[in-house]
Amino acid sequence: INAEVNFAIENPEFGTPTPYCKVYYSASFRQLSFLRGLLKQVLNLLSLDGSDRIRNLIDSSILQSLNSMLTNRPVFGFTLLAYALNVVQTMINSEPTVFPILVESETIKVIVENFESFIGPCSELLLVLPHVVSAICLNNDGLDMILKSDVVKTLFKPLTSLEMVKVLTVDDSDMEYGTELDELYRHHPP
């Protein structure tokens, strides 16, 4: 994963789409497809058996790669960002003791500081954001970080943007998004 992520960051013009297409990434479609497939495999591994596989993943360069993806949204686009954030929240929800390692690798800090840039016209991404916030809030330090930032306020921005509302209503994700916000509030009231 690390080699593909670094190549995409170092060569943002590689595989540039045609000018009449509206895209939210600069990496080549092939790179994005390959990285999406790798992140899907990581999610499959995490869903099978949490603790041992998570420990092995953390010992690899995956956290560095995830941080690179999260800080370079214009390169990787919203869909890949959704998969990267899903990996992080799955790690935390499967094995909450991994939270200090994610803090040490600055993954949590990267998420909180870049959260506003994660809001974009992609229903997969919008639906995973409340899960990410909820997972971070499972830890007291994470909850403090969320409360001190504008993350919760940012979660409501898609509801005030016509473009985002259209994205959510196209595939009936609007009700699911509202339900996810309700769940977040129920489990972690201010």
Side-chain angles (χ1 to χ4, degrees):
I1 294 176
N2 203 29
E4 284 293 322
V5 168
N6 289 336
F7 181 83
I9 292 170
E10 293 166 6
N11 304 289
E13 304 86 31
F14 185 80
T16 305
T18 57
Y20 56 82
C21 280
K22 185 174 181 179
V23 294
Y24 299 97
Y25 55 86
S26 63
S28 74
F29 183 75
R30 183 202 62 79
Q31 286 175 301
L32 295 178
S33 296
F34 182 66
L35 286 169
R36 187 180 69 231
L38 290 174
L39 291 175
K40 279 184 177 181
Q41 290 296 1
V42 169
L43 285 168
N44 285 338
L45 286 172
L46 293 174
S47 68
L48 294 175
D49 178 27
S51 58
D52 292 338
R53 288 191 169 86
I54 290 176
R55 296 290 175 203
N56 290 337
L57 277 174
I58 288 175
D59 291 338
S60 71
S61 62
I62 193 162
L63 296 180
Q64 178 187 357
S65 298
L66 291 172
N67 288 350
S68 295
M69 283 186 242
L70 295 171
T71 55
N72 291 287
R73 199 255 340 128
V75 174
F76 298 103
F78 294 115
T79 303
L80 202 60
L81 199 65
Y83 280 99
L85 288 168
N86 203 6
V87 167
V88 173
Q89 73 90 15
T90 302
M91 281 184 185
I92 297 171
N93 284 323
S94 298
E95 186 63 42
T97 59
V98 58
F99 188 84
I101 298 167
L102 294 172
V103 169
E104 185 181 316
S105 70
E106 297 192 343
T107 303
I108 302 300
K109 180 181 175 188
V110 165
I111 291 172
V112 172
E113 289 179 355
N114 293 290
F115 199 80
E116 192 159 343
S117 71
F118 299 161
I119 303 296
C122 174
S123 61
E124 292 172 317
L125 176 60
L126 294 174
L127 291 175
V128 80
L129 291 176
H131 291 286
V132 172
V133 174
S134 181
I136 292 172
C137 289
L138 290 174
N139 183 285
N140 288 333
D141 293 335
L143 180 61
D144 289 341
M145 290 174 75
I146 295 295
L147 292 176
K148 290 177 184 173
S149 69
D150 286 338
V151 168
V152 174
K153 186 177 175 183
T154 303
L155 284 172
F156 289 94
K157 284 189 177 184
L159 302 175
T160 61
S161 163
L162 182 60
E163 181 184 17
M164 303 300 164
V165 170
K166 285 180 181 179
V167 167
L168 286 170
T169 55
V170 164
D171 58 357
D172 295 328
S173 298
D174 52 341
M175 289 179 53
E176 189 175 349
Y177 188 72
T179 302
E180 297 302 335
L181 291 177
D182 185 49
E183 286 290 315
L184 174 66
Y185 186 75
R186 234 173 5 117
H187 291 291
H188 307 286

